[in-house]
Amino acid sequence: MTWQRITQIIVEILVCSVHPIPGNFSFTWITKPANSHEERPAIVPIDLVLSLPMFLRLYLICRSMLLHSKLFTDASSRSIGALNRINFNTRFVLKTLMTICPGTVLLVFILSLFIIASWTLRACESFHDQKHGNLLNSMWLIAVTFLAIGYGDLVPNTYCGRAVCVVSGLMGVSCTATMVAVLARKLELSRAEKHVHNFMMDTQLTKRLKNAAANVLRETWLIYKYTKLVDTINPSRVRTHQRKFLQAIHSLRKVKLDQRKLNDNVNTLIDLAKTQTSVYETVCELNSNQNTLENRLRNLEEKLCMLQNQLNLLPNQLQSLIMEQNRLIFDRLGNVQKQSSLSYSGANSFDCDAASISTTTNPNALQIPTISTNINRC
């Protein structure tokens, strides 16, 4: 709760609390008429002073318009406004109404102001001037002041009536300016109508340009004909064709200038449309390129993650592979050693069997096999 909010609540309570009080209370209101130098007192009831500020409650109409507006009750509109940092207040609602139906809003505002100002002027002036006792006279004075005419047949006598007339004049000037802007916007051609109008004007200017160029060629030929191809030259006829030749050149230049102006206006509209189209295409292309780049970066990131995982697994795989190779090498070396030991034991047994056989067959030759056996062992 801010101080601004608190002040607004207090002012609203004060405005809504003002109203006529029960009872017959009055006071003396002294005024000086416009057509007299004498002061005239008048007995005025106090309800008049209390009823005029009650028009300040008209702000409730704006609040009601805001609360019953489709822009305020629609959740999607409010979400879009919040994203664009737009406050849905009375000012925004009035702007949208002036954009959608400016004539209706302006007409309702003028009629409301006219009726309220007429009643207020009658209430302020009826106790001092009998002419203002009739509401039609007050309406006439407000209309004359609103339109900035000022005949002078009716004038306000009190400061309250003069203030009402001043406010009516200011509001009349503002409403007139707003009405001029609305009419100018209504009378302006649309984009399609501008394109059609420019096409028609271009066609007409093209025809005029062709006619002017043909006139220039015709007068040039006639000047050449009456100066070079005749026996006797007629000066008056030559001067006439020369004058027509200069007129044709002048009309040709004028048509070219008009065509250039039209092309400038057309180029302005076309350039704006082309610029908008090119910007839209550029933005779309940038969005597509950005999406493509994001996809490529995402794929690259996935591949890098896979490569990192494989590199993390590589030392373990190398270690297991080296251990497997070492185990195979050790197994082969063990098999070779076993085979060599087996071959060595087999050779020893064969030598011993041969020696025993030779000893039994030839006892006298016992020393020789022993020597041979020793030799074979060596």
Side-chain angles (χ1 to χ4, degrees):
M1 186 67 70
T2 61
W3 287 105
Q4 183 179 0
R5 185 64 177 171
I6 295 173
T7 306
Q8 185 178 357
I9 294 173
I10 294 173
V11 171
E12 186 173 352
I13 292 174
L14 292 176
V15 169
C16 294
S17 63
V18 176
H19 60 87
I21 58 177
N24 294 323
F25 300 97
S26 60
F27 66 98
T28 302
W29 193 349
I30 300 174
T31 59
K32 189 175 183 180
N35 55 2
S36 177
H37 297 285
E38 298 178 358
E39 295 182 352
R40 294 180 183 179
I43 304 300
V44 180
I46 199 171
D47 292 342
L48 175 64
V49 180
L50 296 175
S51 60
L52 293 179
M54 292 180 66
F55 284 107
L56 297 175
R57 300 181 183 182
L58 292 175
Y59 77 93
L60 296 174
I61 297 176
C62 299
R63 181 174 295 178
S64 177
M65 292 171 56
L66 174 62
L67 295 177
H68 291 84
S69 176
K70 293 181 179 180
L71 297 175
F72 186 80
T73 56
D74 191 6
S76 60
S77 300
R78 297 192 66 180
S79 60
I80 293 173
L83 291 174
N84 293 311
R85 297 181 181 179
I86 295 176
N87 295 324
F88 281 86
N89 49 15
T90 307
R91 184 186 304 173
F92 178 73
V93 173
L94 291 177
K95 285 182 179 180
T96 54
L97 290 176
M98 284 296 295
T99 303
I100 297 171
C101 49
T104 305
V105 174
L106 193 61
L107 180 62
V108 171
F109 179 75
I110 291 174
L111 291 177
S112 302
L113 178 64
F114 180 71
I115 295 171
I116 293 171
S118 300
W119 188 90
T120 306
L121 182 63
R122 177 182 175 276
C124 293
E125 297 291 331
S126 61
F127 294 95
H128 303 280
D129 193 354
Q130 297 298 326
K131 294 181 180 180
H132 292 283
N134 189 0
L135 183 61
L136 296 177
N137 292 331
S138 299
M139 294 176 68
W140 167 254
L141 180 58
I142 292 297
V144 169
T145 308
F146 188 85
L147 298 175
I149 299 174
Y151 288 111
D153 53 349
L154 293 175
V155 292
N157 297 314
T158 62
Y159 292 108
C160 177
R162 292 171 184 175
V164 172
C165 291
V166 169
V167 173
S168 300
L170 294 175
M171 297 305 296
V173 174
S174 302
C175 292
T176 303
T178 308
M179 188 178 297
V180 170
V182 170
L183 290 176
R185 189 171 63 182
K186 290 293 184 181
L187 294 175
E188 187 179 0
L189 295 175
S190 62
R191 181 177 296 179
E193 293 173 348
K194 286 181 180 179
H195 285 299
V196 174
H197 176 264
N198 291 327
F199 178 76
M200 294 171 60
M201 292 298 296
D202 189 18
T203 304
Q204 293 179 2
L205 290 175
T206 303
K207 292 180 180 179
R208 289 173 56 187
L209 182 63
K210 291 180 180 179
N211 292 331
N215 292 330
V216 171
L217 294 176
R218 184 187 63 186
E219 298 301 330
T220 303
W221 163 250
L222 292 176
I223 291 172
Y224 177 77
K225 176 181 177 181
Y226 290 111
T227 55
K228 301 295 183 181
L229 301 179
V230 296
D231 296 332
T232 59
I233 298 174
N234 189 354
S236 62
R237 180 174 292 181
V238 172
R239 283 195 297 271
T240 302
H241 288 294
Q242 288 177 351
R243 192 180 301 111
K244 290 181 180 180
F245 175 73
L246 294 176
Q247 291 177 358
I249 291 176
H250 178 70
S251 63
L252 180 63
R253 290 178 178 176
K254 185 178 179 180
V255 171
K256 286 185 177 181
L257 181 61
D258 294 338
Q259 195 172 15
R260 190 179 299 113
K261 291 180 180 178
L262 181 63
N263 290 329
D264 291 338
N265 295 329
V266 173
N267 289 332
T268 302
L269 295 174
I270 294 175
D271 290 341
L272 182 60
K274 287 183 177 179
T275 303
Q276 185 178 2
T277 305
S278 62
V279 169
Y280 177 75
E281 292 177 355
T282 304
V283 171
C284 292
E285 186 177 359
L286 287 175
N287 289 330
S288 61
N289 292 333
Q290 183 178 2
N291 294 329
T292 305
L293 183 60
E294 289 179 355
N295 294 328
R296 291 183 177 179
L297 290 175
R298 193 178 296 109
N299 295 330
L300 182 60
E301 185 178 0
E302 293 177 357
K303 292 181 179 179
L304 289 175
C305 291
M306 293 174 62
L307 182 61
Q308 185 177 3
N309 294 329
Q310 292 177 0
L311 290 176
N312 292 330
L313 296 175
L314 184 60
N316 296 328
Q317 293 179 356
L318 290 176
Q319 185 177 2
S320 62
L321 183 61
I322 292 173
M323 292 176 65
E324 183 68 21
Q325 293 291 332
N326 292 331
R327 186 178 64 79
L328 293 175
I329 292 172
F330 290 151
D331 292 340
R332 290 179 180 178
L333 291 176
N335 294 328
V336 170
Q337 289 178 357
K338 288 180 180 180
Q339 292 177 0
S340 61
S341 61
L342 290 174
S343 61
Y344 181 74
S345 61
N348 291 334
S349 61
F350 178 77
D351 293 337
C352 293
D353 292 337
S356 60
I357 292 170
S358 60
T359 304
T360 54
T361 55
N362 191 5
N364 296 321
L366 182 61
Q367 190 68 28
I368 295 171
T370 303
I371 294 171
S372 63
T373 304
N374 290 331
I375 293 169
N376 292 326
R377 287 180 181 179
C378 293

